[in-house]
Amino acid sequence: MKKLVLSLVSFVALSGVGFAGGDIIPASEPVVMEESQNSFYLGLGIAAASNRDSENELDFSSITYGQDRTGNIVLTAGYDYNDFIGLEGRYSFSFSDEDQVETKGWSIFLKPQYAFENSSFKIYGLLGYGGMDVNDIGNEWVVDVEDTGLQYGIGASYSLKDALGGENVSIFADYTVLGRGFEGLFFGNDVEGDFDAITVGVTYNF
């Protein structure tokens, strides 16, 4: 009985090491992906948005027929599960326009991201689903779109912890496709619409 107990103790003791060429190699510890600190964040941004007939070229620089441009407020809320993946929700609404057009939109994004080593700089992608509601304030026959679909984008952020000592504050900029081929009414015709936005803003991590 004593020999059996001693054998079991010896087996347990040796199970933590491996043998290779006569050398004793400690067993490697499993790699655990830790959850990010300050995971929750809120943000505020300003976007230049384009709402247009799908047959038209995107042009943020000038007024073109069949395209309406608006300035939008963008509210964001997100959660970084770890350094490589997060989830983000957005809600936007227009505060300025060229042709009495108002827009509202919502988005839910999966957010793959990569932070450069020893740097405050981070790049990220956005892939998700959302909706756009666009209409002319005076004449609904001019523009009237309400549809949902795939949304995606790419962007970058920079933490201000090194620049201003703001450890929880970051600035960001991104380009997002908010809709492709959304069904609606443009200038009295049933057509498909495309929606894009360039957004800059700031986030605060809790």
Side-chain angles (χ1 to χ4, degrees), residues 119-122 157-172 203 205:
S119 172
S120 299
F121 188 69
K122 178 191 294 185
S157 66
Y158 182 81
S159 173
L160 299 181
K161 62 182 180 180
D162 295 329
L164 301 175
E167 182 176 357
N168 297 330
V169 180
S170 298
I171 55 176
F172 72 91
T203 60
N205 289 69

Side-chain angles (χ1 to χ4, degrees), residues 99-110:
D99 300 307
Q100 292 188 318
V101 172
E102 64 177 9
T103 68
K104 298 176 183 178
W106 61 271
S107 308
I108 298 177
F109 291 119
L110 187 65

Side-chain angles (χ1 to χ4, degrees), residues 57-68:
E57 294 285 339
L58 173 64
D59 189 352
F60 281 112
S61 63
S62 62
I63 299 175
T64 59
Y65 179 80
Q67 174 181 248
D68 293 300

